[in-house]
């Protein structure tokens, strides 16, 4: 089958000339499954030059003729799955020339459908990227050395597409080679850094400088990983930046140790509840646990009604006693898995993992009623207003806190000593 089959006129001639003169290698196969997969029906001169095979030697063969010991089974499996589901494929692996020498190929495959929508062929556009990936692709020793390294190595091209990762990258991030290749390094983005942070990174490496920092990345499973990372630009023969190499060292264990030390001093001195910083850690842990396990998660924000009046009328020592009394009731009225936080001033945040909105509302109502029953010796009856909110699918933690804050505002605006659901 020639590339002009099924087409006539000047357009067909132009198409053939374009294919014959194309810089990139082009292969067309049929869509017959067969025991060995589709068969090659067209190969342009660039493909023949890249592989060392003549067109006659390729026609009728399967693309497996180009595979060998270092060809990635994972990449080939992903390719097959894409073809079976009629999806576009893009990937990179090691192929072999006719003389047995390996080369690194980057290629994409698109299905071709007839007028009835039936896939009849696949067109593959390929490029030999050995000159870019050079040493690690052709030197078995260097490849083994990189894979033996516990630190992660990631190489991305100037367009921000990942072209190489080692086993250390897979172990630290949870992403396999197949999942990472062709993706952007933003697959690790956690949302913990500001846009200004990434702007500084980009400005440094674009100007040819090395950028070093501790990155808070996100593991494939969703949890945070603290990484000491160095990003350096790689220049081509003409001085143009062609790639960026990242060396990544996992510092999560050290970060957790530091976190433990911080938590030893994270109690509020007055109420013995978690202080704001510890509360934020508890919030994040509950949030990530809920998201990873697809579990329910609620928060209750509590505010003492007319607290400023209490301080102004009876003084701050009495106000402190009221805060302690409210803290005691809240702490005694929650589960062992819940967290009670002195969120700020007269505000308290209750973190309720594995809890849905209806249960959280009942919990809030019980606490509100219990607090309203207690008479302070000097102040008398002290009431609280409460906002309740449950984490929604795909919602951020910041959005959840904003909603519960608005719910609390609604409860106070409606007359206080009541509960509002956000």
């Amino acid at each position: 089958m020639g590339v002009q089959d099924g087409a006539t006129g000047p357009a067909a001639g132009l198409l053939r000339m374009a294919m014959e003169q194309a810089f990139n290698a082009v292969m067309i196969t049929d869509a017959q499954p067969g025991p060995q997969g589709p068969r090659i029906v067209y190969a342009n001169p660039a493909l023949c030059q890249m592989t060392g095979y003549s067109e006659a030697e390729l026609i009728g063969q399967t693309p497996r003729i180009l595979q060998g010991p270092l060809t990635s089974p994972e990449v080939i499996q992903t390719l097959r799955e894409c073809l079976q589901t009629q999806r576009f494929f893009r990937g990179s692996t090691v192929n072999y020339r006719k003389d047995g020498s390996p080369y690194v190929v980057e290629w994409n495959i698109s299905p071709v459908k007839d007028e009835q929508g039936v896939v009849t062929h696949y067109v593959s556009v390929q490029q030999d990227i050995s000159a870019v990936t050079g040493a690690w692709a052709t030197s078995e020793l260097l490849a083994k050395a990189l894979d033996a390294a516990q630190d992660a190595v990631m190489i991305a091209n100037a367009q921000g597409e990942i072209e190489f990762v080692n086993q250390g990258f897979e172990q630290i991030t949870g992403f396999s080679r197949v999942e990472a290749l062709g993706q952007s390094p933003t697959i690790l983005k956690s949302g913990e850094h500001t846009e200004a942070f990434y702007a500084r990174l980009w400005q440094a490496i674009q100007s040819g400088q090395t950028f070093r920092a501790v990155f808070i990345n996100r593991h494939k499973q969703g949890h945070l990983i603290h990484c000491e990372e160095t990003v350096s630009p790689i220049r081509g023969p003409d001085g143009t930046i062609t790639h960026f190499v990242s060396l990544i060292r996992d510092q999560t264990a050290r970060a957790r140790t530091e976190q433990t030390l911080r938590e030893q001093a994270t109690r509020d001195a007055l109420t013995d509840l978690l202080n704001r910083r510890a509360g934020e850690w508890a919030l994040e842990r509950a949030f990530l646990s809920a998201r990873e396990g697809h579990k329910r998660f609620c928060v209750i924000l509590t505010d003492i009604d007319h607290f400023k009046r209490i301080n102004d009328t009876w003084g701050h020592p009495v106000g402190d006693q009221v805060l302690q009394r409210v803290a005691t009731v809240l702490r005694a009225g929650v589960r062992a898995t819940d967290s009670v936080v002195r969120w700020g001033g007269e505000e308290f945040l209750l973190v309720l993992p594995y809890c849905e909105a209806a249960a959280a509302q009942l919990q809030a109502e019980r606490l509100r009623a219990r607090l309203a029953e207690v008479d302070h010796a000097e102040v008398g009856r002290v009431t609280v207003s409460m906002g309740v909110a449950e984490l929604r699918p795909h919602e951020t933690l910041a959005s959840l806190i904003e909603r519960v804050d608005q719910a609390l505002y609604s409860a106070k605006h409606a007359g206080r000593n009541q509960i509002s659901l956000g």
Side-chain angles (χ1 to χ4, degrees):
M1 171 182 174
V3 70
Q4 80 278 11
D5 290 1
T8 60
L14 178 60
L15 177 59
R16 168 166 282 280
M17 286 192 295
M19 299 276 272
E20 296 293 314
Q21 299 176 32
F23 171 79
N24 287 332
V26 178
M27 174 194 296
I28 298 176
T29 68
D30 61 27
Q32 300 302 317
Q36 301 296 325
R39 299 282 174 172
I40 300 171
V41 298
Y42 173 77
N44 74 341
L47 182 72
C48 294
Q49 182 178 5
M50 181 174 72
T51 64
Y53 290 96
S54 68
E55 183 178 14
E57 290 173 317
L58 290 171
I59 299 300
Q61 298 290 334
T62 76
R64 293 181 62 179
I65 193 175
L66 304 176
Q67 297 175 21
L70 294 180
T71 302
S72 169
E74 293 86 358
V75 172
I76 299 303
Q77 180 59 32
T78 301
L79 184 157
R80 292 194 183 112
E81 292 172 357
C82 288
L83 296 188
Q84 290 170 1
T85 55
Q86 301 182 14
R87 290 182 289 130
F88 172 83
F89 168 82
R90 182 176 185 179
S92 176
T93 190
V94 176
N95 271 352
Y96 289 81
R97 300 182 182 89
K98 181 181 178 180
D99 63 8
S101 61
Y103 65 98
V104 181
V105 62
E106 181 180 66
W107 80 110
N108 58 69
I109 302 177
S110 302
V112 180
K113 300 179 181 179
D114 62 16
E115 295 178 353
Q116 286 73 43
V118 177
V119 175
T120 62
H121 295 81
Y122 299 102
V123 58
S124 171
V125 179
Q126 306 184 11
Q127 185 176 4
D128 180 356
I129 60 171
S130 299
V132 175
T133 55
W136 65 264
T138 58
S139 170
E140 182 179 358
L141 177 60
L142 181 56
K144 287 182 177 179
L146 287 175
D147 272 342
Q150 292 184 348
D151 293 345
V153 179
M154 175 178 65
I155 300 175
N157 61 27
Q159 289 71 47
E161 298 171 331
I162 298 173
E163 291 188 353
F164 172 79
V165 297
N166 69 343
Q167 288 186 10
F169 179 92
E170 295 180 315
Q171 293 168 2
I172 290 174
T173 70
F175 289 95
S176 69
R177 281 190 177 93
V178 174
E179 293 168 325
L181 294 181
Q183 297 291 330
S184 164
T186 55
I187 59 174
L188 303 177
K189 197 171 183 179
S190 65
E192 296 294 318
H193 296 289
T194 65
E195 290 304 316
F197 174 86
Y198 293 106
R200 291 195 301 273
L201 161 65
W202 191 244
Q203 182 180 7
I205 60 178
Q206 283 286 351
S207 64
Q209 302 174 21
T210 294
F211 184 86
R212 295 182 179 87
V214 174
F215 285 68
I216 302 177
N217 291 325
R218 193 168 298 282
H219 192 274
K220 179 186 175 182
Q221 300 300 323
H223 59 269
L224 298 179
I225 48 176
H226 296 252
C227 301
E228 189 177 87
E229 191 164 344
T230 301
V231 186
S232 302
I234 300 175
R235 297 184 183 274
D238 62 354
T240 303
I241 294 174
T242 61
H243 291 78
F244 303 101
V245 58
S246 297
L247 304 179
I248 305 169
R249 175 165 294 179
D250 188 1
Q251 298 287 2
T252 305
R254 188 176 75 177
R256 287 174 178 167
T257 300
E258 293 173 352
Q259 175 186 337
T260 300
L261 293 175
R262 286 195 299 268
E263 288 181 346
Q264 291 176 354
T266 51
R267 290 285 172 181
D268 176 64
L270 178 65
T271 63
D272 198 36
L273 300 178
L274 294 178
N275 63 20
R276 177 66 178 250
R277 177 176 293 183
E280 289 172 347
W281 279 101
L283 258 179
E284 181 180 348
R285 288 194 298 270
F287 170 72
L288 292 176
S289 177
R291 189 171 64 180
E292 292 171 8
H294 305 288
K295 302 295 185 182
R296 300 293 185 89
F297 164 47
C298 288
V299 290
I300 301 173
L301 189 58
T302 303
D303 185 271
I304 300 175
D305 295 329
H306 304 296
F307 186 72
K308 184 177 184 302
R309 185 187 303 171
I310 293 172
N311 273 337
D312 292 344
T313 304
W314 287 281
H316 288 281
V318 173
D320 288 348
Q321 293 174 14
V322 170
L323 288 169
Q324 291 171 330
R325 177 66 62 85
V326 170
T328 299
V329 173
L330 293 178
R331 187 170 52 239
V334 298
R335 302 168 301 176
T337 54
D338 299 334
S339 299
V340 184
V341 184
R342 174 97 182 271
W343 197 241
E346 67 273 21
E347 283 190 344
F348 301 88
L349 183 71
L350 281 67
V351 182
L352 312 177
Y354 314 109
C355 181
E356 59 183 17
Q361 261 188 299
L362 289 174
Q363 177 84 321
E365 177 55 34
R366 284 195 294 267
L367 292 170
R368 185 206 62 79
R370 191 174 303 170
L371 286 165
E373 293 171 354
V374 178
D375 280 333
H376 189 276
E378 297 181 62
V379 179
R381 186 166 172 258
V382 176
T383 63
V384 297
S385 300
M386 292 181 165
V388 178
E390 179 181 347
L391 181 69
R392 295 170 178 169
H394 311 298
E395 184 178 27
T396 64
L397 190 53
S399 173
L400 174 65
I401 295 303
E402 182 178 352
R403 281 198 301 112
V404 77
D405 190 63
Q406 288 296 321
L408 174 61
Y409 175 82
S410 297
K412 296 180 75 69
H413 186 71
R416 295 183 172 84
N417 191 25
Q418 56 186 283
I419 296 164
S420 177
L421 181 64

